[in-house]
Amino acid sequence: MPPLPGSGLAKGLAVTLRTMTRRSVTEQYPDTQPELPPRTRGVIGLFEENCTVCMLCARECPDWCIYIDSHKETVPAAAPGGRERSRNVLDRFAIDFSLCMYCGICIEVCPFDALFWSPEFEYAETDIRDLTHERDRLREWMWTVPPPPPLDPSAEEPKELVAARKTAEKLAASQPPAAGHPEPPSTEPPSTGPAPTDPPGGRS
């Protein structure tokens, strides 16, 4: 049945009337802090211990707003006769938030989970040059990163876990039992053949 002419207008006016009768609620910021969703893109926090100075975040940044400086240090051999190794040591990690467009590419490409989104947004400055925040400030924001939301119990299991489980089950099935560990004996009673049946004429 086609809708009646003017029914859409009537529905819209009904919504308007319901809204007009409600009292508007305004949050008085900054006295009342807003309730931000868990995936809010505020600032980027740095977990310095996980950073290996691979420079991947700085290379992939489309705005070139990440500045990283490092130097190499020689690590002595862990065992006698071993070879010394060299590793990168982070000297500077800064982000210019006047250029950052909050795309999140640096967080996605970081292979060692050193960068995280923080819902912190109160970092305005009176001078645009002060929006380049160094690693000390980025580390302070790291402690405002919320914990990850729990997984949905009805969600599908990740494909990587399913593939790893199938591979482990195939390996376990293909391996013979270890020597000296025979398979446990069966607990079922031995079979004695089919049960005897009475003759067609019954017992004599």
Side-chain angles (χ1 to χ4, degrees):
M1 179 178 178
L4 298 175
S7 60
L9 178 61
K11 290 181 180 179
L13 290 175
V15 173
T16 302
L17 291 174
R18 286 198 304 268
T19 306
M20 290 175 60
T21 57
R22 296 175 184 172
R23 181 181 178 183
S24 60
V25 178
T26 303
E27 294 183 352
Q28 301 298 328
Y29 177 83
D31 297 332
T32 303
Q33 292 292 326
E35 295 183 3
L36 301 175
R39 297 180 65 184
T40 299
R41 296 189 175 189
V43 290
I44 299 173
L46 171 66
F47 192 58
E48 189 175 334
E49 286 76 6
N50 286 356
C51 182
T52 61
V53 201
C54 65
M55 306 291 292
L56 193 58
C57 56
R59 289 198 303 265
E60 296 295 331
C61 177
D63 290 335
W64 292 85
C65 63
I66 301 178
Y67 312 113
I68 301 176
D69 293 332
S70 65
H71 70 276
K72 288 187 176 294
E73 281 187 357
T74 301
V75 180
R83 187 176 61 180
E84 294 181 346
R85 297 182 301 112
S86 63
R87 66 183 181 94
N88 292 325
V89 179
L90 184 66
D91 292 330
R92 185 193 183 201
F93 194 108
I95 300 179
D96 187 354
F97 284 98
S98 65
L99 297 176
C100 178
M101 63 180 184
Y102 305 92
C103 63
I105 293 178
C106 57
I107 298 176
E108 294 177 3
V109 301
C110 180
F112 301 104
D113 291 335
L115 298 174
F116 296 88
W117 279 119
S118 167
E120 183 68 33
F121 62 93
E122 297 176 318
Y123 57 96
E125 301 289 347
T126 56
D127 191 343
I128 193 174
R129 291 172 294 184
D130 295 334
L131 284 174
T132 301
H133 295 294
E134 301 292 335
R135 64 177 183 176
D136 295 337
R137 187 77 184 275
L138 301 179
R139 185 175 180 83
E140 291 178 4
W141 284 329
M142 183 63 209
W143 312 126
T144 64
V145 175
L151 298 178
D152 188 355
S154 60
E156 295 183 0
E157 194 174 18
K159 296 180 180 180
E160 295 82 1
L161 294 180
V162 175
R165 184 178 296 106
K166 288 182 178 179
T167 303
E169 291 175 354
K170 288 181 181 179
L171 290 175
S174 62
Q175 291 179 354
H181 295 83
E183 295 185 1
S186 176
T187 56
E188 298 180 357
S191 176
T192 56
T197 57
D198 294 336
R203 294 181 181 273
S204 55

